Amino acid sequence: MTETGQSSYFASSGDPVLDRRYGWAEAALKEGDAQAAVEILDQTLAQAYHFTAAWHLYGLAQEALGHKEDAATAWRQCLDLDPNDHFGARLDLARIGAMAAEQATSENFSGALFDAYADRFDSHLTQTLQYNAPELLKAALARCCSNAGRPFRFETVYDLGCGTGLMGEAIREGTGFLAGCDLSPRMVERARTKTKGDGSPLYDKLAVAGLTSFLTSRPDHSADLVVAADVFVYLGELGPSFAQSARVLKPDGLLAFTVQSHGGEGAVVGEDRRFAHAEGWLRERLEKAKLSPVILEPASTRQDRGAPVPGLLVVAEKR
């Protein structure tokens, strides 16, 4: 059992024999034998109904067999056992159309995912996935400044979902006070070790927090720039983040971000368990927050199996 605050979830059954069966089921599913995985998990869950990880795997096996209703039932059981959703069951429910994407954000899952990813994050993103969101956003912001006839300088910047500090490194020379937040403590630890050329810390402030919670803690009209590099792909409903960004921005301040996109309508969860937001959906929510797009254009920030992932680059100004 793993405890977080007042909630608990079960990554283990507590019984070595049943945990071994779980491992066999996981291996069977990876080898393409979803039916064998289901049969093993049926026996396992009959003896360990509380075994949250097994319910999540059971859903994946049922999905592989084409049994979406059974998969949805298993993932709903995950949420009953673990309302804080450490296994990302909400994402899976949205992925198969059993939950609205706007309701599927799983902060605990994202935080745990990136804690495990922290040590190899920079090299995997920049080398394997050819991640370039910080460079794209920096270039877009420079374009905005040039078009407005102003220097590339932002006195106070909030870097949402800062991770290990890649966006901070890209934009540091053009900032005064730079604050970052991330759900993953280990990501924040990595960002804290990074320095400027003079040896002082890269970030003036770092917080382990969700981005909307972080923004809520900031004063009105306190920032010149809010930036979110490839972070909104982990949030379904962006309206609260846009509203809080608008609140903390000074008049004419900028919100700059990247998202994955799709050709349909609204927000969806893809097979990669990341959110994709349609352009029209984004425009509606930006308008509601009184943010006007200065730049809104197609851009791919990373590759998936050698192919560019469709996305959008957005810079919006506070009216």
Side-chain angles (χ1 to χ4, degrees), residues 185-261:
R186 292 192 66 198
M187 287 287 196
V188 171
E189 285 174 15
R190 292 292 301 277
R192 208 180 297 280
T193 66
K194 293 187 175 179
T195 59
K196 298 187 287 187
D198 62 3
S200 62
L202 178 66
Y203 287 88
D204 299 291
K205 177 182 176 63
L206 283 165
V208 177
L211 58 90
T212 306
S213 299
F214 175 78
L215 288 171
T216 301
S217 72
R218 301 291 90 199
D220 292 354
H221 315 304
S222 57
D224 301 282
L225 170 66
V226 175
V227 63
D230 234 25
V231 175
F232 290 150
V233 296
Y234 301 105
L235 289 177
E237 179 53 75
L238 301 181
S241 298
F242 289 169
Q244 285 298 322
S245 294
R247 181 187 62 79
V248 302
L249 283 170
K250 299 173 184 176
D252 303 323
L254 300 177
L255 168 65
F257 62 92
T258 57
V259 294
Q260 286 185 196
S261 64

Side-chain angles (χ1 to χ4, degrees), residues 12-171:
S12 165
S13 68
D15 181 333
V17 173
L18 297 181
D19 284 355
R20 227 173 4 253
R21 286 187 191 169
Y22 172 87
W24 296 339
E26 189 174 37
L29 183 59
K30 286 179 180 177
E31 291 167 5
D33 194 346
Q35 185 58 48
V38 165
E39 290 171 3
I40 295 168
L41 290 168
D42 275 332
Q43 299 171 21
T44 304
L45 288 166
Q47 297 176 64
Y49 193 80
H50 62 277
F51 194 176
T52 320
W55 280 111
H56 185 259
L57 185 63
Y58 191 71
L60 294 176
Q62 291 287 9
E63 182 192 14
L65 291 172
H67 304 159
K68 288 191 175 183
E69 285 299 322
D70 291 330
T73 298
W75 292 327
R76 290 189 185 105
Q77 181 60 33
C78 275
L79 291 176
D80 285 344
L81 291 167
D82 173 29
N84 288 329
D85 195 21
H86 293 83
F87 291 94
R90 286 189 181 90
L91 294 171
D92 291 310
L93 285 165
R95 187 169 52 77
I96 66 169
M99 175 181 282
E102 290 88 345
Q103 300 171 8
T105 300
S106 294
E107 286 194 348
N108 286 302
F109 171 74
S110 297
L113 177 70
F114 283 102
D115 259 1
Y117 191 22
D119 290 342
R120 60 189 181 92
F121 182 77
D122 288 11
S123 61
H124 182 66
L125 271 187
T126 58
Q127 297 172 24
T128 307
L129 301 181
Q130 298 181 32
Y131 173 72
N132 62 351
E135 291 78 10
L136 289 175
L137 284 167
K138 181 180 180 180
L141 288 166
R143 218 189 319 159
C144 287
C145 291
S146 177
N147 291 342
R150 50 163 286 185
F152 184 79
R153 179 73 182 176
F154 301 93
E155 289 306 321
T156 299
V157 178
Y158 298 151
D159 182 6
L160 307 181
C162 64
T164 60
L166 293 175
M167 188 70 228
E169 289 176 313
I171 204 172

